[in-house]
């Protein structure tokens, strides 16, 4: 499987050109054998540096490397994979809030709606 197909790469690059906005995550990556989930919302022009929410045991916002993810070699010939069913529905800040509450990245609608409500109350 190609980790980042061209259509998703273009969307991430477009978001990367408009920094400072709260973009909806474009892609979710995961470790099929253990800890490791990433939601990416932006890609730098270098084609390697992604920005988003990473969870390697504790969720945090920041930058991570596409090249490093592509180079991971797991047992049984596996590597980091892309969740082909993932469709971002909320801005990255909502996923980050939900991850802080759950202690891990979550993508279920109930958790995300609750996180969005918390952020909305905080904005008032």
């Amino acid at each position: 499987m190609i980790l980042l197909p061209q259509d998703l790469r273009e969307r991430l690059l477009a978001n990367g050109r408009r920094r400072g906005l709260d973009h909806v995550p474009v892609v979710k990556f995961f470790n099929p054998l253990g800890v490791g989930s990433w939601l990416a919302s932006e890609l730098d022009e270098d084609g390697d540096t992604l920005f988003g929410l990473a969870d390697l045991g504790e969720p945090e916002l920041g930058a991570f490397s596409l090249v490093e993810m592509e180079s991971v070699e797991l047992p049984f010939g596996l590597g980091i994979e892309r969740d082909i069913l993932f469709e971002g529905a909320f801005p990255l800040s909502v996923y980050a809030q939900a991850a802080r509450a759950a202690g891990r990245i979550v993508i279920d609608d109930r958790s995300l709606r609750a996180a969005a409500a918390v952020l909305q109350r905080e904005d008032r």
Side-chain angles (χ1 to χ4, degrees):
M1 169 193 292
I2 296 172
L3 201 53
L4 189 59
Q6 191 61 35
D7 62 325
L8 297 178
R9 179 180 298 273
E10 289 171 9
R11 288 175 53 198
L12 288 165
L13 283 167
N15 287 351
R17 290 183 197 108
R18 298 183 340 222
R19 294 207 178 272
L21 300 177
D22 192 9
H23 298 289
V24 172
V26 173
V27 63
K28 177 186 178 202
F29 302 108
F30 66 96
N31 175 344
L33 297 179
V35 176
S37 296
W38 300 262
L39 296 178
S41 61
E42 299 175 25
L43 177 64
D44 282 352
E45 291 294 331
D46 66 8
D48 176 44
T49 308
L50 292 157
F51 178 81
L53 183 62
D55 183 358
L56 298 171
E58 184 173 326
E60 62 182 299
L61 290 168
F64 42 94
S65 169
L66 178 61
V67 171
E68 285 182 21
M69 284 196 301
E70 290 172 331
S71 70
V72 170
E73 295 180 13
L74 299 168
F76 312 112
L78 296 173
I80 301 302
E81 296 187 14
R82 176 175 38 90
D83 181 345
I84 60 172
L85 299 178
F86 175 79
E87 290 186 30
F90 293 88
L92 188 60
S93 62
V94 173
Y95 287 90
Q97 175 65 34
R100 283 190 290 276
R104 61 184 173 79
I105 290 176
V106 292
I107 59 171
D108 66 282
D109 192 59
R110 182 177 179 185
S111 296
L112 294 171
R113 288 189 185 282
V118 168
L119 291 175
Q120 188 174 34
R121 283 192 301 271
E122 289 176 356
D123 284 344
R124 289 183 186 167

